[in-house]
Amino acid sequence: MLIYGSLLSPRIPHSLPTEGAFYASPIYSKGRLLVVDDEPAARTALGELLRSEGFVVHLAADGYKALGALETFRPDIILTDLKMPLMDGLSLIQEVRQREPELPCVVMTAFASIETAIDAMKKGAYDYLTKPLNFDAVEMIITRAMEHILLRRELEELRTNGTHPKEHGIIGHSDSLNQMM
């Protein structure tokens, strides 16, 4: 499925907000995403598609609003447009890197070139998508980034605990099990 920035998906009601949070099921969420795009139709369409896939999504119209959203919304991944007024996507990534060095940022742009892709990756982008977006590619990149996040968290937990869960050949954590070992 392609997402065109200038067209609203027929599945999206026109009454949806173009900024703020869309919440997936309060019981289960695949992750938390911050979508930053100055084009309201593209921002809303991508937000609604991601929400329908089970993500909690917060929308921001520019880099400054995205930085403000980071104060109250803790995303797992940021998806940002490259060219925006006030603060572009690369400036946003650089600012995010100073605050949250491990937070994956994916750049989306209609102005694709090898030079911009290289520049984005050098400045800390996790990945790079061209518009119109192919939603399958968006899902694949988000899935890969979420797997990377989970592996990083698991590694940090292993480092903090000081032992590998399979060290004794048994996987599990309980007081009685630890006493037995």
Side-chain angles (χ1 to χ4, degrees), residues 82-169:
L82 179 65
K83 297 206 183 235
M84 298 180 288
L86 304 177
M87 178 186 280
D88 69 4
L90 296 183
S91 299
L92 172 61
I93 290 172
Q94 289 177 309
E95 186 65 34
V96 167
R97 287 284 156 260
Q98 292 176 2
R99 297 175 185 202
E100 302 276 340
E102 300 296 321
L103 181 58
C105 298
V106 177
V107 173
M108 309 175 291
T109 186
F111 305 97
S113 72
I114 293 171
E115 293 80 21
T116 57
I118 290 171
D119 194 31
M121 300 306 268
K122 282 182 179 178
K123 291 184 177 171
Y126 178 81
D127 215 323
Y128 187 87
L129 292 162
T130 57
K131 293 180 178 181
L133 297 175
N134 176 319
F135 195 67
D136 291 334
V138 173
E139 284 184 303
M140 182 190 70
I141 288 170
I142 291 171
T143 299
R144 191 173 36 142
M146 292 301 290
E147 288 170 355
H148 181 81
I149 291 165
L150 293 174
L151 287 172
R152 192 174 60 239
R153 287 177 185 165
E154 183 179 328
L155 178 61
E156 186 61 35
E157 185 177 321
L158 291 172
R159 286 180 178 160
T160 302
N161 293 337
T163 60
H164 192 280
K166 295 182 183 179
E167 190 172 277
H168 300 291

Side-chain angles (χ1 to χ4, degrees), residues 13-14 35 62 85-86 104 112 115:
H14 294 284
V35 175
D62 61 54
L86 304 177
E115 293 80 21

Side-chain angles (χ1 to χ4, degrees), residues 20-101:
F22 290 124
Y23 292 97
S25 165
I27 298 170
Y28 173 76
S29 166
K30 287 183 173 181
R32 298 167 58 87
L33 308 175
L34 175 57
V35 175
V36 188
D37 197 323
D38 62 318
E39 194 172 324
R43 182 174 62 243
T44 304
L46 181 57
E48 181 58 25
L49 285 168
L50 292 168
R51 188 209 55 79
S52 72
E53 290 297 318
F55 293 97
V56 174
V57 181
H58 189 91
L59 304 176
D62 61 54
Y64 288 112
K65 289 181 181 176
L67 291 175
L70 289 177
E71 302 297 322
T72 57
F73 182 78
R74 308 275 311 180
D76 297 310
I77 302 168
I78 295 176
L79 296 131
T80 182
D81 190 16
L82 179 65
K83 297 206 183 235
M84 298 180 288
L86 304 177
M87 178 186 280
D88 69 4
L90 296 183
S91 299
L92 172 61
I93 290 172
Q94 289 177 309
E95 186 65 34
V96 167
R97 287 284 156 260
Q98 292 176 2
R99 297 175 185 202
E100 302 276 340

